[in-house]
Amino acid sequence: MDGVNDYDYLFKILLIGDSGVGKSCVLLRFTKIKTIDLNGKQTKLQIWDTAGQERFQTITRNYYKGAQGIFLVYDVSERDTFDNIQNWVDEVKNNTEKAVTMLLIGNKCDLVNKRQVSTEEGEQLAQNLKMCFLETSAKDNTNIAKCFQVMAGEIEIKLSTDENEIDNKKIISVTEGKKIKKRKIC
Ligand code: GDP
């Protein structure tokens, strides 16, 4: 599947977060462009890294342009990077026109003895922000492929859904032919 047009979907996905959280390593693990199978549809993921621009707070609107998915990455062994996630969410919202799919990633989960942010805190934040959450390790390859698969699935759902807010919980109606399936986000 290396041709130009041999895919059903093409998703632009960004990695965002403080410097040093492991964005480039996550990307290297997965490689920059990959085609995955999504319910039988060949889906090409084009993944962009900030290339260190975040250090100078110079991420341009161009970087965000056309993105369907954004990974918000923090380092479980550096609390500051977790505390900064809300700022990144605000930055994304200020720079994107349509609602993009965001997914929270706690990277470096292999650093068991240096952990400063618990899994429960990550889950709680993701729930507050109404997004999926995964802990990863680019070092030992934990959940790397899975986070891209989850992201692609969430984008696809968003593309084909109506969203309803029910009791403050986000419920998504997924239309599958004539059947309507109700699904709660993660
Ligand atoms: P970026 O600035 O967010 O792109 O971060 P980098 O990908 O350059 O990684 C910063 C540092 O964290 C490097 O020294 C990496 O080797 C290290 N690193 C990245 N991911 C992991 C991980 O999952 N576990 C551990 N232990 N170190 C990691």
Side-chain angles (χ1 to χ4, degrees):
M1 297 293 286
D2 287 331
V4 180
N5 291 317
D6 49 7
Y7 53 83
D8 300 300
Y9 295 128
L10 174 66
F11 296 152
K12 176 179 171 181
I13 296 171
L14 312 181
L15 289 149
I16 289 286
D18 284 358
S19 190
V21 297
K23 298 182 297 299
S24 304
C25 291
V26 169
L27 180 57
L28 266 178
R29 271 280 181 203
F30 194 71
T31 73
K32 290 187 183 186
I33 294 194
K34 193 140 182 161
T35 305
I36 60 169
D37 187 289
L38 190 64
N39 306 321
K41 297 247 195 299
Q42 289 305 305
T43 304
K44 194 171 260 193
L45 306 180
Q46 192 183 43
I47 301 134
W48 294 43
D49 182 21
T50 56
Q53 290 177 89
E54 75 280 9
R55 261 175 287 172
F56 313 104
Q57 301 188 318
T58 54
I59 302 179
T60 59
R61 246 186 123 78
N62 244 0
Y63 178 67
Y64 293 100
K65 206 172 171 185
Q68 281 97 358
I70 297 183
F71 287 111
L72 298 160
V73 190
Y74 66 90
D75 174 348
V76 300
S77 70
E78 289 287 342
R79 179 162 288 278
D80 286 355
T81 66
F82 178 72
D83 293 341
N84 221 9
I85 287 293
Q86 185 61 56
N87 293 333
W88 284 113
V89 171
D90 296 342
E91 154 103 4
V92 168
K93 286 187 176 158
N94 286 337
N95 283 284
T96 50
E97 275 135 43
K98 279 185 291 182
V100 289
T101 299
M102 288 190 258
L103 203 148
L104 186 64
I105 297 286
N107 190 41
K108 306 196 190 179
C109 67
D110 58 284
L111 296 177
V112 178
N113 297 326
K114 292 187 178 165
R115 190 186 267 275
Q116 293 181 0
V117 184
S118 69
T119 304
E120 291 71 27
E121 286 174 284
E123 282 169 352
Q124 187 61 56
L125 178 62
Q127 203 179 327
N128 294 346
L129 294 169
K130 297 189 174 71
M131 57 182 75
C132 291
F133 170 67
L134 279 169
E135 286 190 339
T136 59
S137 167
K139 188 175 179 191
D140 64 19
N141 208 10
T142 302
N143 277 344
I144 300 294
K146 187 170 178 189
C147 69
F148 287 98
Q149 191 79 38
V150 170
M151 173 64 91
E154 290 298 312
I155 295 172
E156 200 224 3
I157 288 167
K158 198 164 248 176
L159 288 178
S160 59
T161 58
D162 298 318
E163 293 180 12
N164 308 310
E165 290 283 334
I166 301 174
D167 292 339
N168 267 349
K169 286 191 185 133
K170 208 166 198 187
I171 309 284
I172 285 185
S173 312
V174 182
T175 311
E176 272 183 0
K178 285 181 186 155
K179 267 193 307 182
I180 304 282
K181 255 192 1 192
K182 289 236 161 131
R183 180 179 172 285
K184 202 177 94 184
I185 289 187
C186 298

